[in-house]
Amino acid sequence: MATPSTLARTSAGALRRSAPVAHGNAYYATRRFLRHRLAMAGFLLSLFLILAGVLAPILAPTPYDFADLMAANQFPSRAYPLGTDTIGHDYLSRMLYGVRTSLFVGVAAVALACAVGFPLGLLAGLRGGLADFAVMRVVEVMTAFPGILFAIFLISVVGSGVANVILVIGLTSWVTLCRLLRAQLLTLREQEYVAAARSIGATETSIAVRHLLPNALAPLIVAVTLAIPTAIFTEAGLSFLGIGINEPTPSLGRMVGESATYIRPYWHLGLFPTLAIALVMLGFTFVGDGLRDALDPRQN
Amino acid sequence: MSTGSEDRTPAPIPDPASVPPDPLGHRLRRRTLLGAAAGAAAAGAVGVGPRNAIASPAAAVPAAAPAGQAVPALPPDAAPPERQVYVAPDNVSIAKVLDFYEQVYERPSEAASDLFSDPLIRLNKNFELIPAAALEWSGSEDGRTWTFRLDPNLVWSDGTPVTAEDWIATFRYAADPGHAWDFSWFWASQGTIKNWNQALEGAVPTDQIGVRQGPDAQTLIFESEEPAPYMPAKLLYSLPLSAKALAEHGPLYNTNPETAVSAGPFILSEWQRDQRIVYVRNEQYTGQLKVPVNKVIVKLAAPDAFFTMYENDEVDFMNKPAPAQLKLMQDDPEKASQVHSGVGDFRCFYLFFDVTKAPFDNIKVRQAFSHAIDREAIASQILGPAGAPAYSWLAPGFPAANGDALKEIQKFDPALAKQLLAEAGFPEGEGFPAQEMWLRAPSPLDQGVAGAMASMIKENLGIDVEIAAKDQQGFTAALNAKPTEILFGYVSYGMDFLDPANMLGVWHSGGRHSWVNEAFDTGLDEAASFVGDPQQRLTMFQEVERILVEDVPGVFVYHETPVQLIKPWLKGDFIAPDENGISSMHWPGYSCTSTVPEGLYIGADAPEGREG
Amino acid sequence: MARYVLGRLVSLLFVLVAVSVIAFLLMHAVPGGPFDVTERRLPEATRLAQLRKYGLDGPLWEQYLRYMSHAVRGDFGVPFQSPTETVTGLIARAWPVTIKIGVPTILLAFTLGTLLGVVSALRQNTWLDYAVTFTATLGLVVPNFVIALWLVLLFSVRFDWLPPGGWGEPKHYVLPVLAYALAPTALVARYTRASLLEAMRADYVRTARAKGLGERRVLSAHIVRNSLIPFVTILLPEIPNILTGSIFIEAAFRIPGLGRFFVTSTSSRDYPMILALVLLVATLWGITYLLTDLLYTVLDPRIRLSGGAAR
């Protein structure tokens, strides 16, 4: 039986006790998602940003590391739609590549978090006993460790840069996913239909594969979707502290951070990256919210 | 040259209108400086006569001064005495202790520090050595023994007279292995105090070091291992602790108002950790400075916050605004006159290589880098009044500076850069490994300059450069490791004392970098300890600097002329143009090692509420 | 119950030891020591003397045991970044400042967040709901250092209503609390809305409605209850974070609190302070989660406590 704080800390969606997957649920879920106005807006926004990021090398007027120092500090104009920064980077190019970096870091870090968190969550949730005990102790320690210190330590040891930032964010954010999966499995194990399956002689493996995992999937999809903007946000914070992604790779977070000193004479340096980061976050968050509502079967 | 007693009258106060307010005139003034370079400095700092050894100007013995500080008469445009309060910001993270001989790198030194005692000598605004706690001094013929005659009127605020014993106790404490002083390297080479290194190692007791009393308590003698004609200049850092307080309350006595003792113009009155430090006039002060200000408040904050504080009239002064903040000031017609650029500590910003490792063991590669950096563009687009292009190590105005003669060696020439890189085997940068440029706790300005250089290297050489910002500790540990752990980096150095031996010593083998050049080492050692004709000594240094520039262990990028923002109500001689036409607070800032405290007063136009 | 709490406290003890060992190993793995600040290389003798002076000589395990044996007696040493006081003294002066910002932040986030969440839920899928949801999400996606910056530009630089920073007077609280509270407010609002909507669909509410209870009564009963659950679920776990301060907020508004030390202690390699901070946060965390679980049993009788370890 899960103890309260597991339930407490999982997202609202996870709290809902899911019924067995019924045929046609995917259809209803899709329909619900398509009708969810914020979710659709978020979806279109995310799609647009993903396209912008993927196509950055084609769309951007200049390579991300090209700077014309003599054209520094230009306000938006015909030649530079979003202006230029303090050393003469075309800001539109930096923004497109910045979105690309953010998305890449967000997705890669969450992938890493899944790769660590899900196996451990499965182990804890399915095996129970000693494995569960060990995994949960690690989770506890990770949760109790001040996150910012952990990130700074790791970055200081392995060095800054895109790959290391992904590593550090991945290694700090798997805990939520692991705990969520375990909590789902523990909750579902107590459900009547699982007991029924067990009573008719189903093996633990087949129960896990046929009953537990499919039902645990919905909240996990939501959690993973929402973990992406969180990872992007963490990257922004690290880069703001100057320990994230290295120049000349553009990082929206660092641009926001650096703009703090430049924003008054050069409003565009602060406004555009703040907007970009907010849009990326909004897009993924609304999609996550929409998915949560759509995947809740009781909304039929 | 003036003596201490003559200096007792307050410096003439210039008409505020005559203070050139235009920061853009800066470039012109720099050029004046270039011309003035060698001569001015040679006169004061390294005045070494061939025969009569090295002597200070004969100082008149001051008339028996009354105990206590004579408050100078305030000029008519000054605020009343109770409002003579100077308020400056400092970095909250660095305010750990308050005495130089406790921890040099961890004391607040941005704007107001070292106010608790007078050093033996101090610098005036033209960077000439003038008497301070020592009224006169002389060196032996071999340049190894230096005798200082102390001002007999000096007294600590607890009534104890200031004697040679205070310096002796201070230097013994500094050499004490148990103290592990963070500046111990300063006396460990170039004018090495006798037995200093042995004392650090614990091989001889600290009472054996070459700092001792002469025939009386007012005579102090320094002995060095090698001839050190620059010894007086180096003794700018000779702010003694009180021997009595040190013995009674330990080395941190000045961090607590209860135990604080001062023989300088101010004494600690309050230290609210992480918020503010308050110094008040030391009524017992009998030294040379006549200080109009009654109280100094240092507000502690993160440097990012200084500009907001300055704009909000919470502080009177700030150092090194970020480029965007500078622009805000310059664009505002009312505020532009508050922008001043100074010489700071003659700091040079430069790229450096580990020349022992590929690809930088190839001089053609290093030369290619040196020709790929467009300093003029960096200066005009990023630095503005904060710096001037550099093609050599010693900054204009520094003794032996030779910028004009060395200018062509590392000049900006992209075609030549490409050609050299091709000759080194990397045509268009092909096959050249991507580089990481290490930065040490960079400011927004450093980030901008480094970013611009990375794009220039990419553009002109086809080499990818990533910028890795490291924190102070991580960078320093890697830099100082032997062998060094930084292949390619960007950093700066500013003078410790006004002699080329100090600045050039950075490049001595076994020093900061991995570059080893025997001709440079021997030339530098020879010039440093040369006790003959000062002019000849400077020529020797110039030859040494040429070797440095030609072998390109570093690419010199700019000489800092740090910008200061100074409120119009800070008035006085400190801001009147010096001989080189520079009007700003001169290094080392508002501290007893310069004459700034004497020349600064608060005008009647200062707003209320700054003390809060 | 007592056994359960005891078990949890033992578990916390284990966490504290584990966390301190990890912190200790990590901080020593970071390149550069506390004294690598000098412009030039220190003489080797001085370098070794520094290590001796600050107890950094000898093998790591010895250093760790030395520190912990003092720490259990309440002596956390002298912070390298403030050698004129003790770690305990430093925390005792800086932490109350952070708490004084943190408590109003929590109160504001709770009241305003609940209010917005309820309004939004009651007007689901109206422009009001969308506006609240959008604003709440925005509050979560705009970093608080950006918000701090805009608040200062607006209220200090532009209108000159409030001081841009400083500490000591009531007016110094306004902007930091606003900037700090926005994200948790948004969090509470989003959560309140979601859980209230869920409650309105729940069977027992339908039953209540079916029994003929007025909509107003049904809702008011559940609103009270449902406003406490987000507090316990969402806000309580945030409390250790809020009460230990934000480096961004405290630096932006020049608040002499604890937040800055989470960054400066690592950048200055202040080992004694790092360990003290890690232990402080871990302890706070342990207590908060214990409280969360206990409160949860009060609020939701469906949940029962089981063995101390599993969670």
Side-chain angles (χ1 to χ4, degrees):
Chain A
M1 165 79 198
T3 55
S5 62
T6 324
L7 296 175
R9 266 171 277 140
T10 51
S11 65
L15 270 172
R16 295 172 187 145
R17 283 144 181 81
S18 312
V21 178
H23 185 73
N25 256 10
Y27 166 77
Y28 287 115
T30 315
R31 218 174 62 170
R32 275 195 302 271
F33 187 83
L34 290 175
R35 281 193 192 152
H36 196 297
R37 269 178 262 176
L38 277 179
M40 276 316 289
F43 177 72
L44 292 176
L45 184 59
S46 302
L47 200 67
F48 170 76
L49 290 167
I50 290 170
L51 276 177
V54 170
L55 299 179
I58 300 168
L59 297 175
T62 65
Y64 66 87
D65 57 353
F66 176 80
D68 177 7
L69 189 52
M70 299 320 282
N73 298 323
Q74 307 265 323
F75 286 98
S77 66
R78 199 175 291 255
Y80 302 102
L82 300 186
T84 62
D85 70 8
T86 49
I87 62 171
H89 288 123
D90 173 64
Y91 221 44
L92 174 60
S93 307
R94 298 288 282 179
M95 212 57 59
L96 288 167
Y97 278 101
V99 169
R100 184 183 168 97
T101 312
S102 286
L103 293 176
F104 178 66
V105 168
V107 171
V110 171
L112 178 63
C114 293
V116 177
F118 285 161
L120 288 177
L122 278 177
L123 187 70
L126 294 180
R127 271 287 166 79
L130 194 64
D132 184 34
F133 182 82
V135 169
M136 289 325 283
R137 294 294 76 71
V138 177
V139 165
E140 261 180 359
V141 171
M142 286 293 295
T143 319
F145 207 103
I148 190 161
L149 279 184
F150 194 76
I152 295 176
F153 278 148
L154 274 185
I155 287 277
S156 307
V157 173
V158 298
S160 48
V162 174
N164 289 335
V165 165
I166 291 171
L167 183 76
V168 167
I169 298 176
L171 286 184
T172 47
S173 55
W174 61 270
V175 176
T176 322
L177 298 175
C178 170
R179 211 166 40 198
L180 175 61
L181 175 55
R182 172 183 173 274
Q184 281 296 307
L185 295 174
L186 290 185
T187 313
L188 292 171
R189 261 183 10 189
E190 305 284 314
Q191 300 286 310
E192 286 107 359
Y193 66 91
V194 174
R198 206 171 277 133
S199 70
I200 59 169
T203 63
E204 284 299 317
T205 317
S206 80
I207 289 176
V209 173
R210 293 185 48 196
H211 299 286
L212 298 185
L213 287 181
N215 280 298
L217 212 55
L220 286 181
I221 290 173
V222 174
V224 168
T225 316
L226 291 174
I228 292 175
T230 310
I232 291 172
F233 205 63
T234 311
E235 182 270 308
L238 289 175
S239 293
F240 177 79
L241 286 175
I243 53 173
I245 283 161
N246 291 336
E247 276 286 338
T249 310
S251 149
L252 295 177
R254 200 188 45 235
M255 284 190 251
V256 171
E258 284 177 1
S259 77
T261 60
Y262 289 102
I263 195 162
R264 282 178 52 202
Y266 307 115
W267 56 269
H268 62 291
L269 294 183
L271 183 65
F272 294 132
T274 307
L275 268 181
I277 206 163
L279 288 180
V280 172
M281 298 267 306
L282 273 179
F284 279 91
T285 309
F286 284 149
V287 170
D289 286 354
L291 280 176
R292 184 171 55 210
D293 290 347
L295 292 169
D296 183 350
R298 286 169 312 154
Q299 290 211 349
N300 276 340
Chain B
M1 187 162 295
S2 63
T3 64
S5 53
E6 283 161 10
D7 266 358
R8 290 187 170 229
T9 48
I13 305 304
D15 174 10
S18 74
V19 177
D22 172 24
L24 300 174
H26 142 80
R27 301 189 71 76
L28 189 71
R29 293 207 295 277
R30 285 303 293 192
R31 234 163 260 138
T32 334
L33 248 186
L34 281 164
V46 286
V48 181
R51 285 279 329 275
N52 65 341
I54 306 98
S56 63
V61 178
Q69 186 174 174
V71 182
L74 290 168
D77 62 343
E82 66 275 11
R83 293 193 52 221
Q84 285 297 323
V85 182
Y86 171 61
V87 192
D90 213 321
N91 186 345
V92 63
S93 299
I94 299 201
K96 300 182 187 176
V97 296
L98 300 181
D99 278 304
F100 190 92
Y101 277 86
E102 183 54 31
Q103 281 185 45
V104 173
Y105 297 105
E106 313 282 6
R107 75 195 205 290
S109 55
E110 180 96 354
S113 61
D114 306 324
L115 301 170
F116 302 146
S117 58
D118 286 348
L120 294 168
I121 57 107
R122 79 169 46 95
L123 288 175
N124 70 9
K125 64 192 295 176
N126 291 315
F127 291 98
E128 292 156 337
L129 298 188
I130 57 169
L135 297 176
E136 56 182 20
W137 56 86
S138 61
S140 64
E141 291 221 8
D142 66 356
R144 283 188 163 93
T145 306
W146 293 83
T147 308
F148 294 83
R149 194 165 63 76
L150 303 177
D151 182 344
N153 290 319
L154 294 179
V155 64
W156 294 100
S157 52
D158 63 358
T160 323
V162 175
T163 64
E165 188 52 40
D166 293 309
W167 277 272
I168 294 167
T170 303
F171 276 81
R172 285 180 187 171
Y173 173 58
D176 185 350
H179 173 22
W181 188 39
D182 62 354
F183 208 54
S184 66
W185 62 264
F186 186 66
W187 294 111
S189 66
Q190 290 194 335
T192 318
I193 290 177
K194 199 174 124 196
N195 280 333
W196 179 267
N197 287 316
Q198 294 84 335
L200 289 182
E201 285 160 15
V204 305
T206 55
D207 60 9
Q208 301 293 306
I209 63 170
V211 182
R212 56 185 177 83
Q213 188 180 313
D216 57 62
Q218 254 59 54
T219 311
L220 176 65
I221 296 173
F222 280 83
E223 294 166 306
S224 62
E225 304 267 3
E226 61 275 353
Y230 43 80
M231 193 56 127
K234 198 169 172 176
L235 279 165
L236 185 66
Y237 302 124
S238 55
L239 302 139
L241 297 164
S242 152
K244 186 171 166 223
L246 190 59
E248 277 176 15
H249 300 291
L252 297 173
Y253 70 87
N254 262 336
T255 60
N256 178 355
E258 308 265 305
T259 51
V261 174
S262 172
F266 292 94
I267 187 165
L268 182 70
S269 133
E270 177 193 339
W271 183 1
Q272 278 182 278
R273 299 290 187 284
D274 291 352
Q275 294 185 66
R276 55 194 231 149
I277 305 173
V278 180
Y279 307 105
V280 294
R281 170 183 294 278
N282 170 16
E283 300 296 346
Q284 316 301 320
Y285 178 63
T286 51
Q288 313 266 349
L289 294 177
K290 291 290 154 244
V291 181
V293 162
N294 278 318
K295 193 191 226 181
V296 177
I297 300 177
V298 174
K299 294 189 177 166
L300 301 172
D304 293 348
F306 290 176
F307 186 67
T308 319
M309 295 162 77
Y310 182 84
E311 278 197 307
N312 210 36
D313 289 348
E314 291 177 57
V315 293
D316 300 334
F317 168 88
M318 79 169 276
N319 245 321
K320 303 188 189 180
Q325 298 164 348
L326 188 56
K327 180 172 167 58
L328 283 177
M329 296 294 292
Q330 289 177 318
D331 285 356
D332 184 331
E334 278 173 32
K335 291 179 181 167
S337 62
Q338 298 173 21
V339 177
H340 300 258
S341 64
V343 280
D345 52 3
F346 297 93
R347 188 165 287 270
C348 183
F349 282 79
Y350 62 102
L351 290 166
F352 64 93
F353 314 103
D354 182 356
V355 299
T356 62
K357 292 202 191 82
F360 298 114
D361 53 352
N362 186 338
I363 185 170
K364 291 205 162 145
V365 169
R366 306 200 296 267
Q367 285 170 333
F369 273 68
S370 79
H371 298 306
I373 306 296
D374 185 353
R375 282 85 150 178
E376 299 291 338
I378 290 175
S380 70
Q381 295 299 98
I382 303 179
L383 297 171
Y391 300 89
S392 54
W393 178 239
L394 299 177
F398 198 77
N402 198 19
D404 282 341
L406 302 175
K407 202 173 174 185
E408 292 300 303
I409 304 173
Q410 295 196 3
K411 68 175 180 215
F412 172 58
D413 185 342
L416 179 60
K418 277 198 183 75
Q419 183 198 327
L420 283 162
L421 195 67
E423 285 170 23
F426 307 101
E428 301 293 320
E430 223 170 278
F432 200 96
Q435 294 299 318
E436 234 184 35
M437 184 197 290
W438 282 41
L439 266 53
R440 179 178 66 181
S443 67
L445 181 63
D446 299 335
Q447 299 264 21
V449 174
M453 290 194 296
S455 82
M456 287 170 186
I457 293 169
K458 170 80 178 172
E459 176 79 9
N460 297 329
L461 299 176
I463 296 168
D464 284 312
V465 175
E466 207 175 273
I467 295 166
K470 304 285 175 183
D471 62 17
Q472 180 84 25
Q473 263 87 345
F475 184 98
T476 310
L479 175 70
N480 287 342
K482 292 283 172 265
T484 180
E485 288 158 8
I486 308 181
L487 186 58
F488 177 46
Y490 173 62
V491 75
S492 71
Y493 200 88
M495 74 154 169
D496 303 294
F497 60 97
L498 196 76
D499 189 89
N502 171 243
M503 279 302 282
L504 288 165
V506 170
W507 294 97
H508 200 285
S509 64
R512 200 184 216 193
H513 300 292
S514 60
W515 181 65
V516 178
N517 184 305
E518 269 180 46
F520 179 86
D521 282 3
T522 35
L524 177 57
D525 293 342
E526 227 167 82
S529 52
F530 183 74
V531 286
D533 173 25
Q535 201 52 52
Q536 190 186 339
R537 185 166 178 264
L538 293 183
T539 314
M540 292 163 77
F541 280 123
Q542 291 183 339
E543 282 160 22
V544 170
E545 193 192 5
R546 179 175 288 276
I547 301 174
L548 172 70
V549 179
E550 281 177 347
D551 210 38
V552 207
V555 175
F556 310 109
V557 180
Y558 77 94
H559 290 125
E560 187 186 36
T561 52
V563 171
Q564 301 171 349
L565 303 183
I566 302 175
K567 290 288 186 186
W569 56 81
L570 285 197
K571 301 185 199 297
D573 180 53
F574 84 99
I575 208 170
D578 66 10
E579 286 175 0
N580 295 308
I582 292 171
S583 74
S584 66
M585 197 176 289
H586 278 30
W587 189 85
Y590 198 84
S591 134
C592 285
T593 49
S594 76
T595 50
V596 174
E598 181 163 73
L600 184 152
Y601 66 93
I602 308 298
D605 50 337
E608 305 276 352
R610 295 173 306 126
E611 294 191 40
Chain C
M1 184 71 162
R3 234 193 106 200
Y4 170 77
V5 173
L6 199 70
R8 287 288 296 269
L9 290 179
V10 171
S11 169
L12 174 61
L13 215 59
F14 161 81
V15 169
L16 289 183
V17 172
V19 156
S20 67
V21 170
I22 293 172
F24 191 85
L25 291 177
L26 272 178
M27 75 192 189
H28 281 279
V30 173
F35 311 107
D36 286 314
V37 291
T38 58
E39 283 281 354
R40 299 220 202 159
R41 212 159 109 87
L42 275 179
E44 188 62 10
T46 305
R47 212 180 56 78
L48 296 175
Q50 279 180 338
L51 296 181
R52 266 197 311 279
K53 182 176 178 183
Y54 293 97
L56 302 173
D57 52 339
L60 278 187
W61 61 267
E62 199 181 296
Q63 290 182 39
Y64 176 76
L65 290 183
R66 203 186 306 151
Y67 181 85
M68 288 309 278
S69 71
H70 286 113
V72 294
R73 279 173 275 163
D75 171 13
F76 291 89
V78 171
F80 297 164
Q81 58 190 316
S82 187
T84 55
E85 55 192 331
T86 60
V87 167
T88 328
L90 196 164
I91 292 178
R93 89 173 144 78
W95 196 18
V97 174
T98 295
I99 292 176
K100 282 182 200 161
I101 291 290
V103 169
T105 299
I106 293 165
L107 293 179
L108 181 67
F110 176 57
T111 48
L112 190 62
T114 312
L115 192 70
L116 289 175
V118 169
V119 167
S120 173
L122 294 182
R123 299 275 177 272
Q124 195 194 359
N125 295 334
T126 63
W127 64 269
L128 190 64
D129 176 28
Y130 288 138
V132 171
T133 308
F134 186 81
T135 320
T137 314
L138 210 61
L140 285 177
V141 300
V142 181
N144 58 17
F145 48 83
V146 177
I147 290 163
L149 184 73
W150 284 103
L151 286 177
V152 169
L153 285 183
L154 198 65
F155 293 107
S156 301
V157 179
R158 183 80 178 79
F159 295 120
D160 200 19
W161 289 344
L162 289 162
W167 186 244
E169 292 167 60
K171 63 183 179 189
H172 290 134
Y173 283 68
V174 182
L175 293 183
V177 168
L178 277 182
Y180 207 2
L182 190 57
T185 306
L187 207 60
V188 171
R190 275 167 56 92
Y191 194 88
T192 304
R193 174 180 178 276
S195 61
L196 202 59
L197 286 179
E198 188 187 351
M200 292 194 309
R201 285 194 299 266
D203 298 342
Y204 54 98
V205 176
R206 287 188 195 162
T207 315
R209 262 196 215 113
K211 282 199 310 203
L213 283 175
E215 188 78 359
R216 189 173 292 264
R217 248 190 89 192
V218 173
L219 282 175
S220 60
H222 286 93
I223 284 168
V224 174
R225 184 185 193 83
N226 281 295
S227 64
L228 286 177
I229 289 181
F231 176 76
V232 175
T233 310
I234 290 295
L235 207 51
L236 213 56
E238 288 291 316
I239 283 178
N241 285 334
I242 295 175
L243 287 189
T244 47
S246 154
I247 166 71
F248 303 121
I249 296 294
E250 293 189 3
F253 295 104
R254 279 179 284 140
I255 298 166
L258 201 58
R260 160 171 95 77
F261 292 98
F262 284 86
V263 173
T264 56
S265 299
T266 47
S267 64
S268 64
R269 315 291 189 268
D270 188 348
Y271 302 144
M273 191 66 192
I274 292 171
L275 282 176
L277 286 177
V278 164
L279 290 173
L280 177 75
V281 170
T283 310
L284 273 182
W285 170 86
I287 293 171
T288 310
Y289 277 87
L290 182 56
L291 273 183
T292 311
D293 288 356
L294 293 178
L295 278 176
Y296 232 84
T297 56
V298 177
L299 290 172
D300 190 346
R302 283 175 301 174
I303 293 163
R304 65 186 156 83
L305 298 171
S306 64
R311 125 204 12 263

